[in-house]
Amino acid sequence: MADRHIVIVGGGFSGTALAIHLARGGRAGLKVTVIEPREGVAQGVAYGSRDPAHRINVPADRMQLTAAEQGDFDRWFRASAAYAEDPAARWQDGRVYPQRGQFAAWIAGLFAEVQRESAVDLRHLRDRAVALENGEVVTAGGERLRADELVLAISHPPPALPRAIALALEGHPRLIADPWRHNALADIAPDESIAIIGSGLTMADTVATLHRHGHRGSIVAFSRRGLLPRSNLSGSFEPRALDYASPQPDTALGWLRRIRREVNAAAEERLPWQLVLDDVRVNGQAIWQRLSLSEQRRFLRHLRPWWDVHRYRIAPQVNAVLEQWQTSGQLAVLAARLKTVTAEGRAIRLALQPRRGAPRTLKVDRLIVTTGPAHGGLLQSDALLHQLALDGVIQPDELALGIKVNGRSQAVNRFGAPNLHLWVAGPAARGRFGELMGLPQVAEHAESVANQLLAGSNAADGSGC
C-alpha cells in the first residue's frame, strides 16, 4: 500500500465516512484526499441543513458510523451544550432527535480526530473536481491530483423543475425551485398562501420551517398519490426478525403480499408495523438483488411510493407539526396531478386534477417544488460525471437511479467492463444494491468499499485510474 493516493470526490456523509474508514484502517504511505467545495465535510444534502427545524429522522441512538459504535452519537449529543439548548430534541419516550447539523458536526469531529491520529495522510481539499485526465483529477481551482484509485461519492443532484413549471414559471419571483438553498423560505410573508408540489420528506422539512417562522397562511401540498411520510416509532421494542429462509417468490407482488402478512401477524401480537419494515430494510439489499431487472422495474413503477413513505419516516416532532396543521385546516394534502400552471402577475394559478373528484384550481402567492433530487439526471448534473459519461468510463444504471456498478461497487464502462480503479460510494450505487439511501446502509457500504480499497487486491498493477 506504500505511496498510494485515493481521491474521493464528494465530502457529504458517504465520502466522509469512507475517508474515516480508510484513515482508521490504513498505514503510513497511504494518502487520502476528499475533494469537497463546502467549507467542512459531512455537510451534504442530508446533514448540511442549518435550519433548526430540520431534525434527524431516527433517534440519535440509531445513528452511527459502524455497528460497533452504536450509541456513540447519542452520548456525544447528550454531553454537548446543544442538548441543553434544544429541549425540543427530547421526545416523550426519552429518545432524542437532534438538529441535523449536530450529526454533521459529530462526523466532522471524527474526521478531524483521524486526521490528527492516523498514520494516513488525510486531507479535505476545498475545491470541485471537474475532469479526469491521464489518471489525474483536475479541479476547478487548477490542481491536478494523481489518483491510484478514484471514488465517486456524489449522490444527490440538484432538484429539477417539472416540465410544465419550467416552461411557465422559470425565473418567476414567487417560485421556489430549490427549498434546500440556505434561507430559501426566509422572505415568505406569514399570511401568504402556498402550494407545494411533492408530499415527501422535503415537503415535511418545508412545513417544519414554515411552522418555525410562524406562518399563518394556507398551504396545499399535492402529489400524484398524496402520500405523507409516516412518523418514526415511539417507544422501545425488541426487533422483529422475519424468516427469510422460508419459500418466497422473488417478485414485487410476492414481497408485497409477504410484508402484508407479516404486518398483520405483528398487529395480532399488538406490535407496530414499523418493526416489520425495519427488518425488511436491514435485509433490503439481499432482497433487491434477488429480484430480476423486470421485477425491480415493477417495484419502482408500482410500489416505490408506498415503500418510501413507510421506510423513510420522519421525526415525531415534525409529524406533530403536520398533524397539527392538518387538523386546524391550515395544511391540506391532496392526491392530484398538475395539469397547467400560469403566472398571474405576482400570483400563480394551478389547475389540478385530483385522483378522485372534479378538477380544482388554486391561486397562490408562492409555489414551492419539493420533488427531491433529479437522480435520473445525475450524470449531467456534475462536470466530472458528465465528462466520464461522455468518455464512456461510466454509464447510468438500467433503472436510472445512479451509476452502473458491479458487485464490488466498481464503475462499469459502456462496454460492460468494470474499471478496477474507479469506485462508487453511497446512494449513486443503489441501482445495483437497492436499499442504499438510509444512513445505516450508506455507512455499511462506505465501510465495505474502504475495506476493499485497503485490501489493495486491485492495485497490484499500479496503473491507476
Side-chain angles (χ1 to χ4, degrees):
M1 191 186 297
D3 300 317
R4 299 207 63 78
H5 190 191
I6 298 174
V7 176
I8 302 170
V9 178
F13 175 76
S14 299
T16 305
L18 173 63
I20 292 170
H21 287 307
L22 290 170
R24 286 176 172 178
R27 299 192 296 268
L30 175 63
K31 182 177 181 180
V32 177
T33 300
V34 179
I35 303 177
E36 167 56 53
R38 297 178 180 89
E39 183 178 0
V41 296
Q43 296 179 12
V45 169
Y47 305 109
S49 172
R50 304 177 209 170
D51 191 321
H54 295 173
R55 300 189 175 277
I56 60 175
N57 292 321
V58 300
D61 60 5
R62 290 176 54 189
M63 302 279 283
Q64 63 269 337
L65 193 62
T66 67
E69 296 170 278
Q70 185 169 357
D72 281 5
F73 171 56
D74 183 90
R75 288 183 286 271
W76 176 89
F77 175 69
R78 290 176 188 269
S80 71
Y83 177 72
E85 295 166 359
D86 184 19
R90 300 188 283 278
W91 193 241
Q92 58 198 24
D93 60 0
R95 288 179 153 179
V96 291
Y97 293 79
Q99 296 164 14
R100 289 189 200 146
Q102 293 300 313
F103 185 72
W106 180 64
I107 293 294
L110 296 181
F111 184 90
E113 180 183 296
V114 294
Q115 271 189 312
R116 292 190 304 269
E117 299 178 358
S118 174
V120 172
D121 179 4
L122 172 64
R123 70 164 176 152
H124 164 211
L125 173 61
R126 190 177 181 187
D127 206 337
R128 188 180 300 276
V130 295
L132 179 66
E133 298 176 354
N134 300 318
E136 292 183 328
V137 179
V138 183
T139 73
E143 293 207 35
R144 302 182 73 93
L145 289 75
R146 179 185 62 83
D148 295 292
E149 274 84 34
L150 175 62
V151 185
L152 304 174
I154 306 166
S155 302
H156 299 298
L161 284 175
R163 179 175 173 79
I165 296 175
L167 290 174
L169 296 180
E170 192 162 20
H172 192 283
R174 294 304 184 93
L175 169 67
I176 299 176
D178 184 3
W180 296 337
R181 181 174 50 83
H182 183 53
N183 285 332
L185 312 182
D187 65 342
I188 297 178
D191 293 313
E192 288 184 349
S193 58
I194 298 172
I196 302 176
I197 180 169
S199 62
L201 295 178
T202 306
M203 184 281 295
D205 283 344
T206 299
V207 171
T209 299
L210 292 168
H211 180 267
R212 182 176 67 83
H213 289 174
H215 192 76
R216 299 185 296 267
S218 65
I219 303 171
V220 175
F222 66 94
S223 64
R224 285 183 177 270
R225 295 171 180 83
L227 299 173
L228 286 175
R230 275 39 172 185
S231 179
N232 227 306
L233 183 60
S234 183
S236 225
F237 297 89
E238 290 296 317
R240 181 183 176 87
L242 279 64
D243 178 12
Y244 294 95
S246 62
Q248 169 65 51
D250 289 326
T251 64
L253 181 59
W255 275 104
L256 174 63
R257 290 170 171 167
R258 171 73 184 279
I259 291 171
R260 283 175 170 170
R261 290 197 302 270
E262 296 287 351
V263 167
N264 289 336
E268 290 175 1
E269 300 174 36
R270 300 182 182 274
L271 294 174
W273 59 264
Q274 287 94 332
L275 298 180
V276 174
L277 270 292
D278 286 348
D279 193 69
V280 173
R281 172 186 56 78
V282 170
N283 293 277
Q285 291 191 7
I287 295 171
W288 181 256
Q289 293 178 71
R290 282 164 50 181
L291 299 179
S292 66
L293 182 62
S294 62
E295 286 300 320
Q296 290 173 348
R297 288 194 174 111
R298 187 168 286 114
F299 168 84
L300 294 173
R301 187 165 58 250
H302 298 293
L303 297 179
R304 179 179 174 183
W306 279 270
W307 168 255
D308 284 353
V309 298
H310 288 86
R311 159 65 184 92
Y312 302 111
R313 304 193 287 267
I314 56 177
Q317 293 92 331
V318 177
N319 187 67
V321 171
L322 295 179
E323 289 185 344
Q324 174 191 333
W325 276 9
Q326 283 183 284
T327 300
S328 71
Q330 184 175 353
L331 170 66
V333 180
L334 305 179
R337 63 180 177 86
L338 179 65
K339 293 178 64 180
T340 61
V341 57
T342 54
E344 294 190 0
R346 292 179 63 82
I348 296 172
R349 183 178 295 274
L350 302 98
L352 304 180
Q353 178 58 61
R355 286 179 72 86
R356 296 179 179 84
R360 177 171 176 175
T361 299
L362 297 177
K363 187 175 180 180
V364 295
D365 298 309
R366 301 273 184 168
L367 174 61
I368 305 175
V369 179
T370 67
T371 49
H375 286 118
L378 175 64
L379 302 192
Q380 288 73 48
S381 69
D382 175 87
L384 174 61
L385 297 184
H386 185 59
Q387 180 237 316
L388 294 175
L390 284 177
D391 292 347
V393 177
I394 62 174
Q395 61 174 315
D397 64 66
E398 294 89 343
L399 301 169
L401 296 175
I403 301 171
K404 186 172 183 176
V405 298
N406 65 6
R408 304 190 66 195
S409 211
Q410 295 163 325
V412 175
N413 66 25
R414 68 159 65 118
F415 303 108
N419 185 323
L420 303 185
H421 303 278
L422 181 59
W423 304 71
V424 178
R430 65 195 173 117
R432 174 62 184 247
F433 296 101
E435 180 57 34
L436 197 48
M437 290 288 278
L439 182 129
Q441 285 70 43
V442 174
E444 290 168 7
H445 186 245
E447 187 173 14
S448 171
V449 172
N451 288 339
Q452 294 179 78
L453 286 165
L454 290 171
S457 59
N458 291 329
D461 61 4
S463 60
C465 294

